[in-house]
């Protein structure tokens, strides 16, 4: 075994760490997959700041390390964590223009000539974390100053936990004391204390934590700050996610155990014939990784806007720190496996509202009435950028014909028992009117001469403080029955006679079924009802309003009469329906040219021709 001294290597000051043992490295050969386990040991001399390498490779001359070896620190609150966070943060600020730009197009400027960090206008309240050894943090109000000062700050995203685990909070009774006297560091719960530690170590003065920067027993303050969530998280230089902490007592780094420094490290070389990126192979006892979508934080609805609006987001799981910004995702250098793809991309905010709501509607809320409030930050960000020419009401964007994409929603679990009573003060046409995960089946709008919109050219408008949708479209009364396939599934699941999924019932002389029965399409109600198990129906009827025909078939809303307080006529949404075209590209249920589907389509078109146009008011 030969020994080669690697010359001209200087460890940057920010990477000078405590002494550590040797590193075991595994070098990958570009040309021979079977020849990728040459063991090299490298010793870093912290006195001379040099690296000495030993290798089994032939002709080791010319080895040149071009990046520092980062010593792994087994402590979550250790210099290794600080080095990694600084490395990611400074590189992002320096090299990622997208991460220094708000959705509105505003550029975040650099704080000062001596600071490599970007800055933004501070929230109305922040915590001044003080010096590294300060025994206090102090609540600071910035609102009296006009304009508000700008500076770098860190934001915290965390789970509050159950009522008996709620964190330290600012109230009307404590705010003056927190401003004048400060908060003793030893009073902070573990998650808050960890966030203060990281903020101090990054050289940032201010930290925003919702529990301490919003007056928790003041409704007016809570509403004002909820409206500003967009600027709070987008303006933060960095957001810290306490991913695996179920409440504030469990810490920012819960379960985080970094591998021994003897076992893993990553270095780089220009050695000819070998990968320029030499990655250490981690030992088998490192075990499995915990993904973002398994952590408690990812399941909280309020967190959707926190990680999606943040320009930079860091979280920890048991084996690594993870980084997500608007241009890239990173794990720590010793990992071969990238688990950051489990955290949805920032692009979810701009790429499609339906996709965002499908994810968001599955998330948990302590109070279901917060379902729309927890989206206000995202809504405000979009209203000043990508959707600045559109109206937003109750979770839906009015976007011409595109409005239809958000009106056709159904409950994801059609076998769950859903109550008929909706959430208060939310119109029935909004997906937020009923708790539970949603699915949006309409994915395309008319694009050929055989496709059409059924409502007239006046389109869909919002009136009466946006609580009503108005349009002119055909409407008719149909009989409903339980389709046999849904009946069998319900009996298998033990649901008896309670259903949400059913079909339109009619008869035809051309039907091969008993009594000439024909079942048309699939209608899904927003709530469960008691029904006879199979056709014929027992007088169960509902109104349907066809709105659009695309390449797959016809989509309709299912409604029932709901007179307004002044006695005028209106309807309440109770579900949606779909009748598949025999020429459907989806071919979800039948083979092309299936006789039963042709008959179903023919019967539906006959019913459609008998419907009358009407001025619809949907409440």
């Amino acid at each position: 075994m030969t020994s080669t001294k690697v010359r001209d290597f200087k460890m940057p000051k920010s990477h000078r760490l405590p002494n550590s043992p040797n590193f075991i490295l595994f070098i990958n050969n570009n040309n021979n997959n079977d020849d990728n386990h040459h063991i090299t040991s490298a010793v870093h001399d912290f006195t001379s700041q040099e690296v000495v390498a030993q290798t089994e490779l032939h002709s080791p001359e010319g080895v040149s390390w071009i990046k520092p070896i980062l010593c792994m620190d087994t402590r979550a609150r250790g210099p290794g964590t600080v080095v990694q966070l600084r490395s990611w943060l400074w590189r992002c600020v320096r090299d990622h223009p997208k991460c220094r730009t708000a959705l509105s197009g505003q550029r975040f400027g650099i704080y000062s000539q001596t600071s490599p960090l970007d800055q933004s206008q501070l929230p109305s309240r922040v915590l001044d974390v003080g010096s590294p050894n300060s025994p206090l943090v102090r609540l600071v109000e910035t609102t009296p100053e006009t304009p508000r000062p700008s500076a770098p700050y860190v934001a915290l995203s965390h789970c509050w936990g159950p009522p008996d685990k709620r964190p330290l909070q600012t109230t009307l009774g404590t705010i003056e004391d927190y401003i004048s006297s400060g908060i003793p560091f030893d009073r902070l719960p573990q998650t808050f204390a960890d966030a203060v530690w990281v903020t101090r170590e990054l050289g940032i003065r201010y930290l925003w934590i919702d529990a301490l920067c919003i007056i928790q027993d003041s409704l007016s303050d809570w509403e004002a700050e909820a409206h500003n969530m967009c600027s709070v998280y987008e303006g933060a230089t960095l957001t810290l996610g306490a991913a695996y902490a179920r409440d504030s007592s469990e810490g920012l780094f819960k379960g985080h155990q970094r591998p021994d420094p003897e076992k893993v490290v990553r270095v780089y070389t220009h050695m000819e014939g070998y990968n320029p990126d030499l990655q250490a192979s981690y030992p088998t006892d490192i075990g499995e990784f915990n993904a973002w979508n398994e952590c408690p934080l990812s399941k909280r609805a309020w967190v959707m806007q926190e990680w999606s609006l943040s320009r930079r987001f860091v979280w920890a799981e048991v084996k690594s720190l993870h980084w997500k910004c608007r241009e890239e995702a990173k794990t720590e250098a010793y990992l071969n496996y990238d688990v950051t793809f489990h955290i949805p991309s920032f692009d979810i905010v701009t790429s499609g509202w339906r996709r965002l709501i499908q994810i968001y509607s599955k998330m948990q809320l302590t109070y279901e009435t917060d379902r729309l409030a927890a989206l206000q930050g995202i809504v405000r960000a979009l209203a000043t950028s990508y959707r600045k020419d559109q109206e937003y009401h109750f979770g839906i964007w009015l976007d011409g014909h595109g409005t239809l994409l958000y009106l056709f929603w159904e409950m994801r679990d059609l076998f769950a028992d859903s109550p008929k009573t909706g959430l208060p003060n939310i119109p029935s046409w909004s997906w937020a009117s009923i708790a539970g995960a949603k699915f949006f089946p309409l994915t395309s709008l008319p694009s050929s001469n055989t496709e059409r919109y059924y409502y007239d050219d006046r389109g869909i408008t919002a009136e009466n403080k946006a609580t009503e949708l108005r349009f002119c479209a055909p409407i008719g009364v149909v009989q409903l029955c339980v389709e046999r396939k849904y009946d069998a599934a319900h009996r298998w699941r033990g649901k008896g006679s309670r259903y949400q999924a059913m079909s339109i019932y009619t008869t035809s002389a051309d039907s091969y079924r008993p009594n000439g029965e024909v079942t048309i399409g699939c209608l899904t109600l927003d709530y469960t009802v008691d029904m006879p198990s199979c056709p014929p129906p027992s007088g169960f009827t509902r109104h349907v309003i066809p709105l659009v025909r695309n390449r797959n078939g016809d989509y309709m809303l299912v409604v029932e009469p709901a007179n307004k307080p002044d006695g005028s006529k209106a309807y309440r949404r109770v579900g949606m329906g779909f009748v598949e075209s025999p020429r459907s590209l989806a071919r979800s249920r039948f083979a092309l040219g299936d006789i039963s589907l042709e008959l179903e389509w023919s019967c539906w078109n006959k019913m459609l021709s008998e419907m009358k146009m009407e001025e619809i008011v949907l409440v």
Side-chain angles (χ1 to χ4, degrees):
M1 181 176 291
T2 60
S3 177
T4 302
K5 187 171 183 178
V6 185
R7 297 179 174 82
D8 301 324
F9 178 93
K10 295 293 183 181
M11 183 74 79
K13 183 176 180 181
S14 62
H15 290 153
R16 292 179 184 173
L17 304 174
N19 203 3
S20 61
N22 294 356
F23 299 98
I24 307 300
L25 307 182
F26 295 83
I27 299 179
N28 298 323
N29 188 318
N30 278 339
N31 303 315
N32 185 349
N33 291 331
D34 296 327
D35 185 26
N36 60 359
H37 293 293
H38 293 290
I39 298 177
T40 304
S41 65
V43 181
H44 177 215
D45 186 329
F46 282 83
T47 302
S48 64
Q49 296 299 314
E50 294 179 335
V51 175
V52 175
Q54 287 188 325
T55 178
E56 291 179 345
L57 294 170
H58 300 293
S59 303
E61 299 296 333
V63 177
S64 172
W65 309 111
I66 60 171
K67 287 193 178 181
I69 295 175
L70 302 185
C71 307
M72 292 303 305
D73 191 324
T74 58
R75 296 168 294 170
R77 267 207 201 182
T81 296
V82 177
V83 167
Q84 184 64 83
L85 292 179
R86 284 177 180 168
S87 174
W88 283 333
L89 178 58
W90 292 347
R91 177 177 178 273
C92 180
V93 172
R94 184 189 68 224
D95 298 340
H96 295 169
K98 191 174 180 180
C99 299
R100 286 181 51 202
T101 307
L103 282 172
S104 63
Q106 172 197 350
R107 290 274 291 177
F108 295 97
I110 296 299
Y111 182 49
S112 70
Q113 291 183 346
T114 59
S115 171
L117 302 176
D118 53 29
Q119 63 174 346
S120 69
Q121 190 177 72
L122 292 175
S124 57
R125 297 183 197 91
V126 286
L127 294 169
D128 186 340
V129 300
S131 61
N133 297 317
S134 173
L136 295 171
V137 296
R138 191 180 303 276
L139 187 62
V140 176
E141 285 194 314
T142 63
T143 45
E145 300 185 38
T146 304
R148 278 188 205 154
S150 294
Y153 68 92
V154 173
L156 175 66
S157 176
H158 66 108
C159 291
W160 280 48
D164 61 328
K165 293 283 190 179
R166 290 299 164 86
L168 182 69
Q169 300 174 34
T170 293
T171 64
L172 291 169
T174 61
I175 183 169
E176 292 303 325
D177 187 45
Y178 290 172
I179 292 174
S180 60
S181 302
I183 307 170
F185 187 82
D186 57 13
R187 282 194 60 198
L188 297 176
Q190 188 63 53
T191 301
F192 294 6
D194 286 345
V196 169
W197 175 81
V198 171
T199 304
R200 288 172 170 175
E201 290 296 321
L202 291 177
I204 298 176
R205 181 176 177 180
Y206 299 112
L207 170 65
W208 189 91
I209 301 177
D210 54 0
L212 294 176
C213 297
I214 300 174
I215 304 173
Q216 297 302 318
D217 57 354
S218 169
L219 180 60
S220 61
D221 192 67
W222 185 91
E223 290 177 342
E225 294 305 312
H227 183 70
N228 292 327
M229 285 300 99
C230 165
S231 57
V232 168
Y233 282 98
E234 191 176 35
T237 301
L238 177 67
T239 299
L240 307 173
Y244 279 86
R246 293 165 296 184
D247 57 68
S248 61
S249 69
E250 295 186 336
L252 191 62
F253 306 103
K254 183 192 175 185
H256 188 45
Q257 299 174 343
R258 313 186 78 182
D260 288 342
E262 294 179 318
K263 296 178 179 177
V264 289
V265 73
R266 191 173 185 172
V267 296
Y268 300 77
T269 184
H270 285 315
M271 184 182 295
E272 184 178 354
Y274 290 86
N275 287 332
D277 179 355
L278 296 179
Q279 182 166 306
S281 176
Y282 50 81
T284 57
D285 62 358
I286 281 186
E288 295 298 321
F289 303 104
N290 295 321
W292 164 259
N293 56 9
E294 296 172 358
C295 73
L297 191 63
S298 71
K299 296 175 172 59
R300 301 301 301 168
W302 280 99
V303 173
M304 165 74 86
Q305 63 182 6
E306 295 171 10
W307 55 253
S308 62
L309 292 175
S310 295
R311 294 176 291 131
R312 307 176 186 97
F313 190 90
V314 168
W315 61 285
E317 49 91 32
V318 66
K319 297 304 178 186
S320 178
L321 294 173
H322 300 277
W323 169 274
K324 184 81 173 181
C325 66
R326 293 182 177 177
E327 294 203 20
E328 66 180 3
K330 290 285 189 180
T331 60
E332 291 191 79
Y334 60 84
L335 292 182
N336 284 326
Y337 175 58
D338 180 9
V339 300
T340 53
F341 71 89
H342 288 297
I343 183 169
S345 169
F346 164 79
D347 291 339
I348 189 175
V349 174
T350 58
S351 63
W353 188 251
R354 290 178 301 114
R355 178 169 167 249
L356 184 147
I357 297 303
Q358 285 182 174
I359 296 174
Y360 176 75
S361 64
K362 295 186 292 184
M363 294 178 164
Q364 302 164 359
L365 281 166
T366 302
Y367 305 104
E368 191 60 40
T369 50
D370 287 346
R371 182 63 66 182
L372 290 176
L375 272 180
Q376 280 305 306
I378 294 177
V379 170
R380 189 179 179 194
L382 291 174
T384 58
S385 55
Y386 292 85
R387 295 182 179 269
K388 60 185 177 182
D389 298 324
Q390 300 173 20
E391 295 180 41
Y392 170 86
H393 304 294
F394 298 101
I396 286 177
W397 295 93
L398 295 188
D399 180 23
H401 292 315
T403 305
L404 295 173
L405 298 173
Y406 317 128
L407 290 179
F408 286 104
W409 52 267
E410 63 184 15
M411 306 302 291
R412 184 172 287 275
D413 185 356
L414 298 180
F415 298 102
D417 249 351
S418 300
K420 185 174 181 179
T421 304
L423 296 174
N425 304 317
I426 300 179
S428 65
W429 42 264
S430 168
W431 57 266
S433 63
I434 297 177
K438 309 300 190 305
F439 174 68
F440 293 78
L442 178 62
T443 58
S444 64
L445 297 174
S447 59
S448 72
N449 293 334
T450 60
E451 303 167 19
R452 57 169 296 192
Y453 300 100
Y454 287 111
Y455 53 87
D456 68 15
D457 293 339
R458 288 174 290 177
I460 300 173
T461 60
E463 298 185 17
N464 194 13
K465 297 182 180 179
T467 59
E468 302 171 358
L469 291 185
R470 292 176 178 258
F471 50 89
C472 184
I475 186 170
V477 178
V478 297
Q479 287 187 312
L480 301 182
C481 68
V482 176
E483 176 61 282
R484 286 182 172 87
K485 64 178 180 178
Y486 301 126
D487 180 49
H490 273 74
R491 292 188 182 280
W492 176 72
R493 292 185 179 217
K495 294 293 183 182
S497 61
R498 294 185 62 77
Y499 301 91
Q500 281 184 265
M502 46 196 69
S503 296
I504 298 174
Y505 175 88
T506 189
T507 58
S508 170
D510 297 324
S511 174
Y512 65 88
R513 288 185 175 181
N515 304 317
E517 65 189 43
V518 178
T519 55
I520 301 173
C522 174
L523 278 65
T524 58
L525 298 185
D526 300 336
Y527 55 89
T528 47
V529 295
D530 284 310
M531 285 279 291
S533 61
C534 286
S538 57
F540 185 78
T541 62
R542 286 294 182 270
H543 293 70
V544 295
I545 306 174
L547 288 178
V548 62
R549 171 175 292 183
N550 69 5
R551 61 188 182 185
N552 294 322
D554 281 9
Y555 292 80
M556 68 197 80
L557 295 179
V558 183
V559 299
E560 60 185 17
N563 290 339
K564 297 169 60 178
D566 63 4
S568 59
K569 190 175 182 180
Y571 294 95
R572 177 186 300 111
R573 178 206 148 112
V574 294
M576 65 151 288
F578 170 66
V579 179
E580 187 177 16
S581 163
R583 304 296 181 266
S584 167
L585 298 178
R587 301 276 28 95
S588 59
R589 291 188 295 151
F590 301 98
L592 187 63
D594 185 275
I595 296 176
S596 61
L597 189 57
E598 294 280 358
L599 178 60
E600 179 181 330
W601 188 247
S602 174
C603 290
W604 165 247
N605 278 295
K606 182 176 182 297
M607 298 173 71
L608 189 59
S609 68
E610 297 170 352
M611 294 183 186
K612 304 297 184 182
M613 296 290 286
E614 183 179 311
E615 295 287 340
I616 305 294
V617 178
L618 207 57
V619 296

